[in-house]
Amino acid sequence: MSYHSVVMVKQVPDTANISGQVMKPDGTVNRSKLPTVFNPEDKVALELALQLRDRYGGTVRVLTMGPLKASDLLRDCLYMGADEAFLVSDRRFAGADTLATSYVLAAALKRLAPFDIVFAGRQAIDGDTAQVGPQTAEKLGLPQITYAEGILGAEDGKIQVRRKIDQGYEVLEGTLPLLITVVKDAAAPRPSRAKRVMAFKNARTLMELEKMAEANSLLYIDQLKEEYLSKGLFIQTMTADDLDVDLTRCGLAGSPTKVHKIDSVVLGANEHETIPTTKDGMYALIDKLMEDHIFG
Amino acid sequence: MNEKKPQVWVFVEQRDGKPADVSLELLSKGRKLAESLRGELKAVLIGHDVEDLAKELFGYGASEVLLADHPELKHYNTLPYSRLVSELVDEHQPRIVLFGASFVGRDLAPRVASHTLSGLTADCTDLQISDVTYLRQDYAELLLQIRPAFGGNIIATIICPDSPVQMATVREGVMEKIPLAQPVDGRITPIPYTPQGPDELVRIIERHREDNKVDLKAAPIIVSGGYGMGNFQNFQILYELAHLIGGEVAGTRAAVDAGFIDHNRQVGQTGVTVRPKLYIACGISGAIQHRAGMQDANKIIAINSDPDAPIFGICHYRIVGDVMEVIPMLIDAYKHKLK
Ligand SMILES: Cc1cc2nc3c(=O)[nH]c(=O)nc-3n(C[C@H](O)[C@H](O)[C@H](O)COP(=O)(O)OP(=O)(O)OC[C@H]3O[C@@H](n4cnc5c(N)ncnc54)[C@H](O)[C@@H]3O)c2cc1C
Ligand SMILES: Cc1cc2nc3c(=O)[nH]c(=O)nc-3n(C[C@H](O)[C@H](O)[C@H](O)COP(=O)(O)OP(=O)(O)OC[C@H]3O[C@@H](n4cnc5c(N)ncnc54)[C@H](O)[C@@H]3O)c2cc1C
């Protein structure tokens, strides 16, 4: 039996490697200088989906909601081996919290039905909430397995998954279709294959083709689209108009959580006492700790 | 409008019939929030044969425990648990619902929030009640949900101005566990559970749990080593110091990655959060992800050979020097003074 998967992927600022250049002189982070990367756990999720396809056959499609620039991420997925890529992009989706994000992603997934498994990363390294996966599952009425460490096997419409729990692990058996969120250690993502890079580096979204057509009066958008579609290089884009969504539940408007205030973490100068590295210095330190009621 | 007192709820997580520490910590915090709102604190407990545990929650200020007790609810299972909690929230519309940011809480809370269309803020490090002006509108007594994001590089204050129910998750060890001297006179309200077909869509086949032998969170003193300890051999001196002064040994992720110490003793964002009376940081640079797990220690001693190491920015006692010289001096000084 073969399985059809959709992997939810997100392009994120590289918060793990905040280097000197992205620090402002006052010690705060300059977010616009942060390069974007493939959210690490989503890459692992894609790898798991590809392994499932290698083993049992089927298809792997990838889906992201983000700005037009997120098409870079989708090309990366095609390089790794995804069969098809979908971009959900609309200004009206901007500023979404996890509830509004999962609402739109669930609506897009309904357009991609039927599928057996929706894969997601456990969490994205920018918002770090780990909420979008379970919320998407709830909206689709799907069961979920979070914190998956590996897929043990699939048979007769059921899948066996090993997942992390507090101080240990569980093996679960889930009935398909379901949603799985994946942790970092579950698999090592394969590198992109040179042949696929050659094949898909020209994959384009509708908006990217429109830009090409605008820049060159000899190109007609309908023809371009036709040509890219026929070559398998068309990245499908969905906007609010393509989805069955209530706009009051999308984007900032549909987000119950609001960011009221943001403080960059600045290393504050703290009042501390320097202890000389001498015998007397150490004695004095022990005395102070006794005064602090820590020793004695 | 609802005439009832505002309610603060805590989902109490039980592991093999015992309450998770994080749930008791949240009840302690929830009590304060309920006081600020002049409201009531309630607990939601799901499991099997957990009536005794339910009574224990009165000792943390819960005036009512909503208890679903059924053999099939013994272990956490996403669908039945989330259905039960979602229905309770729909029916009672509590003002605030708190969950532990544990494996269970992070599986459950987003589903409940999605079902009830509530705002949910992840991994809060602080919760306060305050009046807020947001986009020129005044809101009374909102929950300020303070959380790190961007890999710990920023701290965001999140509010849910228009959401009737405000939900948040909090990690273990972030709030303080404060039992009451005298338990409140609370009541247990049984919540019926009828198994439904979909509850079985995901079944547990095997479970493996080991009790965590080290309890860093309970240690009054922690001696912690970083990559600057140099090697495994040098690292062992920390056990000598810890043993002498009655502490536990911990480390940074760099020390764990280098094999100096086991992962279950890692302090920080992806390890344990601790707030001991004394934290001695040896050869630790003070990366933000490490500080996230220890900066609330009562007193911090930092030993580092780099006079500009960031750890000195949060310490109380600063010692510039080589760990392999300073630590033996500290050991001698302690022996001289206290033995
Ligand atoms: C400082 C800050 C704090 C925030 N705090 C909160 C908060 O507490 N609560 C809240 O509701 N929102 C919060 N948000 C908003 C939240 O970051 C966004 O809604 C974000 O789009 C999704 O959340 P996440 O990054 O936490 O994803 P997670 O829930 O951590 O992502 C889990 C997985 O879902 C999938 N996924 C997530 N987003 C997408 C996408 N756009 N396209 C495809 N797949 C996706 C990926 O597989 C990902 O690995 C915050 C934002 C900021 C800037
Ligand atoms: C998503 C994420 C999560 C993370 N989670 C955690 C976490 O939970 N916990 C954690 O600790 N880290 C975590 N990290 C890693 C963190 O960013 C740092 O890399 C780590 O804390 C550094 O450890 P360190 O201080 O031991 O090592 P280093 O940064 O290498 O510092 C070593 C220090 O030792 C000093 N030194 C060297 N030799 C000597 C000597 N002979 N005597 C005295 N001092 C000496 C040096 O001056 C230096 O300051 C995380 C990172 C990421 C990206």
Side-chain angles (χ1 to χ4, degrees), chain A residues 145 148-152 159-163 170-172 180:
Chain A
I145 298 178
E149 292 183 304
I151 292 175
L152 306 179
I159 190 162
Q160 291 202 345
V161 178
R162 179 178 151 139
R163 79 181 286 257
E170 282 175 343
V171 176
L172 300 180
I180 298 178

Side-chain angles (χ1 to χ4, degrees), chain B residues 54-289:
Chain B
K55 288 182 192 138
E56 209 179 313
L57 306 178
F58 301 140
Y60 287 86
S63 62
E64 182 177 354
V65 180
L66 304 167
L67 173 65
D69 197 311
H70 191 281
E72 289 185 20
L73 297 173
K74 187 167 164 51
H75 294 300
Y76 175 74
N77 187 351
T78 309
L79 292 179
Y81 271 59
S82 60
R83 175 157 49 82
L84 278 165
V85 181
S86 298
E87 283 171 1
L88 285 172
V89 170
D90 273 341
E91 185 185 341
H92 298 277
Q93 296 284 301
R95 199 67 195 99
I96 295 172
V97 187
L98 306 178
F99 299 83
S102 59
F103 289 82
V104 165
R106 292 176 125 215
D107 188 88
L108 173 68
R111 269 195 98 103
V112 175
S114 175
H115 182 89
T116 59
L117 305 182
S118 312
L120 172 63
T121 305
D123 283 348
C124 296
T125 48
D126 196 8
L127 297 167
Q128 297 164 9
I129 302 288
S130 169
D131 295 342
V132 174
T133 307
Y134 177 73
L135 300 181
R136 294 202 212 98
Q137 274 216 55
D138 293 327
Y139 296 87
E141 301 186 325
L142 286 186
L143 181 65
L144 299 188
Q145 303 160 90
I146 296 157
R147 66 171 302 238
F150 263 65
N153 293 287
I154 61 173
I155 302 283
T157 304
I158 311 261
I159 51 172
C160 305
D162 301 313
S163 182
V165 187
Q166 310 162 85
M167 299 190 176
T169 67
V170 178
R171 284 189 197 223
E172 188 152 307
V174 169
M175 302 297 173
E176 251 180 294
K177 180 164 91 178
I178 313 166
L180 291 173
Q182 196 66 40
V184 298
D185 183 18
R187 64 180 187 282
I188 295 178
T189 305
I191 304 298
Y193 166 70
T194 325
Q196 290 187 1
D199 294 353
E200 285 292 302
L201 285 175
V202 175
R203 291 187 313 119
I204 304 171
I205 300 180
E206 280 175 51
R207 274 177 109 242
H208 298 265
R209 279 194 50 205
E210 277 171 34
D211 273 330
N212 212 346
K213 276 150 262 140
V214 284
D215 190 4
L216 282 183
K217 286 191 303 159
I221 298 176
I222 292 178
V223 179
S224 189
Y227 194 68
M229 290 305 297
N231 58 45
F232 182 83
Q233 196 56 41
N234 286 352
F235 203 91
Q236 305 313 306
I237 194 174
L238 301 180
Y239 290 92
E240 189 184 332
L241 175 61
H243 185 73
L244 183 71
I245 63 180
E248 283 282 354
V249 176
T252 64
R253 188 164 90 174
V256 172
D257 288 347
F260 300 170
I261 187 165
D262 208 59
H263 174 75
N264 62 5
R265 290 177 184 265
Q266 178 179 315
V267 168
Q269 191 191 324
T270 46
V272 193
T273 304
V274 296
R275 41 167 88 232
K277 285 201 287 182
L278 176 65
Y279 191 90
I280 309 183
C282 310
I284 292 177
S285 61
I288 193 144
Q289 294 89 356

Side-chain angles (χ1 to χ4, degrees), chain A residues 7-12 31 39 41-42 45 63-66 95-101 105 119-136 181-182 255-257 259 262, chain B residues 119-124 147-150 154-156 158:
Chain A
V7 188
M8 303 206 286
V9 291
K10 187 183 182 194
Q11 193 174 46
V12 291
R31 290 210 264 160
N39 185 50
E41 287 176 326
D42 301 356
L63 170 69
T64 192
M65 177 180 93
D97 72 356
T98 61
L99 194 72
T101 299
L105 287 171
F119 282 98
R122 173 191 54 127
Q123 78 184 43
I125 59 172
D126 52 344
D128 294 327
T129 68
Q131 291 173 185
V132 171
Q135 292 188 325
T136 306
T181 78
V182 174
S255 299
T257 67
V259 177
I262 285 200
Chain B
L120 172 63
T121 305
D123 283 348
C124 296
R147 66 171 302 238
F150 263 65
I154 61 173
I155 302 283
I158 311 261

